Amino acid sequence: MKTVLLGTALTMAGATGALADKASDTLNLAFSKELETADVYFNTAREGLLLDHATWDGLLYRNPETGEYEGNLATEWTWVDDTTIEFKLREGVTFHNGEPFNADDVVYTVDFVTNPENGVKNTATVGWMDHAEKVDDYTVRIILKAPFPAAEEYLAGPLAMYPNEYYAEVGPSGMGLKPVGTGPMKITELEPGKHYVLERNEDYFDGPKGHSAISKVDIRTIPDVNTQIAEFFNGTLDFIWNVPADQAEQLASMGDYEVVNAPAMRIGYVTMDAAGRADPDGPMTNAKVRQAIYHAIDRQTILDALVKGSSKVIDSACAPVQFACAQDLPTYDYDPEKAKALLAEAGYPDGFTIDFYAYRDRPYAEAMMGYLDAVGIKTNLVFMQYSALREKRIKGEVPLSFLTWGSNSVADASASTGEFFTGTDRDDAQDPEIVEWLAQADSTTDREKRKALYKEALTKIVEEAYWVPLFTYNVNYVLGPDVAYTPTDDEIVRFYAFDWK
């Protein structure tokens, strides 16, 4: 494998891109996906979340080492009652375009993203808020629709504050092309989906993120992991992540690079058109067919052979590290004979043929297809870009798909179930009982009651086989010889936290 990779690297000798070295003070990175827009409220890709954390700030910040919430754009916050949070805002903060930050920006941002007519993509991120109210220039209140105990987790995560005057002028399309935030780095060059240059914000305030030690980060989109590894060998990339287990093991064995494996909040899952949006009479509407698919896939073998690292097989439709994500649930053992029997009971003794959609980890998808083929389910792989597949699912046009979800690194089960089981256009089950349980769970401050309601919902998701939860993900990070960085377990690559050795 080492020989193959090195040979590939030599063929890339003519690759474009500035040579990465400490002297240039430019960190060269790569995205694997073509990010559809840099406006964080109109994409749901991990790459967008990474730009969010570098370019924008939220009112709060969760310290990745302690897990504690700290003031960020807000210096103090108080729960006035179960549905009202009051914030004292940090004074003297300016956006990258010179616009001063104050309460007007918070009110504008919250009111914009909570207005359904504006069509933001991150519905779980914003759906718990009703509106914001200005008290004075540096005091603001956010009014919740109902009690929501995970509010601080979202306020410390993907809820970026936008400049009201600039956003009112340019809108989502303008923000996507020329982003403006308050963050420790500012985007100075942007070729949509292909190239991003971030530079240190010299005027950044003394917040919990800290000032960037590196002056520039250059990010190109390189979808092929082998090409990324080749460029890493050539020195045109300083740091790569999401490296498949086999390649990471080989890189570690060379002794020249630091390879770190860290758990992630991301989970893999198979979702099925149980509600019949893609086909009202399709096989996915039959619970026995869905249960057969659950039995047909040998999740542990896929994990052991391909995923490796710190990953674990799961049955919950959320990540084990998230609050209220119950793990003591029913399960389906790998049992191809049982799968065949269930298919026969469902009226498909000879199986059927169906399109199987995916956007990443093609070897994982192909392994699942092999298991399905063995019980009589013939699959046609439709491999798409993430944003295109997401939109196709929203339209209800996907019968069966292998997907992953990182919950925007929000450590609460609502960040997963709230996205996919609350009756929205992302919900393939449309189960009213689950919708009601989750609504109750996310409107009570009683932690034990929340856990109980979530367990009811998660149990029914398993029993009805609305999903086949597969496994948690882990991330292999590989650092070049000059790079100093400590990866965190939340799968957020903090560009501003890099330094040189």
Side-chain angles (χ1 to χ4, degrees), residues 372-452:
L372 294 176
D373 182 75
V375 300
I377 301 174
K378 310 297 180 184
T379 52
N380 303 313
L381 180 60
V382 184
F383 206 76
M384 305 178 70
Q385 288 187 359
Y386 170 75
S387 58
L389 178 51
R390 184 196 64 211
E391 295 306 305
K392 196 170 182 66
R393 287 193 64 250
I394 287 173
K395 294 176 183 176
E397 298 173 350
V398 178
L400 180 67
S401 54
F402 159 51
L403 301 165
T404 76
W405 182 244
S407 291
N408 289 307
S409 295
V410 171
D412 190 273
S414 63
S416 183
T417 56
E419 189 76 14
F420 301 113
F421 289 99
T422 52
T424 69
D425 53 14
R426 294 161 176 79
D427 185 350
D428 287 333
Q430 300 291 328
D431 187 311
E433 193 170 34
I434 291 175
V435 172
E436 178 58 27
W437 283 331
L438 294 176
Q440 292 180 40
D442 290 331
S443 60
T444 177
T445 56
D446 185 326
R447 290 171 64 88
E448 294 308 311
K449 186 176 180 181
R450 276 195 91 206
K451 288 180 182 178

Side-chain angles (χ1 to χ4, degrees), residues 212-232:
S212 175
I214 288 178
S215 63
K216 184 182 289 188
V217 176
D218 191 299
I219 305 169
R220 289 173 291 133
T221 300
I222 305 175
D224 181 63
V225 67
N226 290 319
T227 304
Q228 289 189 24
I229 292 172
E231 291 219 21
F232 181 74

Side-chain angles (χ1 to χ4, degrees), residues 7 13 19 65 82 98 144 146 157 159-160 179 223 236 238 257-258 272 278 298 307 323 331 430 442 445 464 475:
L19 282 175
E65 295 180 4
D82 285 349
L144 285 58
L159 262 172
T236 50
D238 296 300
Y257 312 109
E258 182 181 358
M272 295 159 279
D298 190 343
V307 187
F323 176 79
T331 189
Q430 300 291 328
D442 290 331
T445 56
E464 294 293 330
V475 182

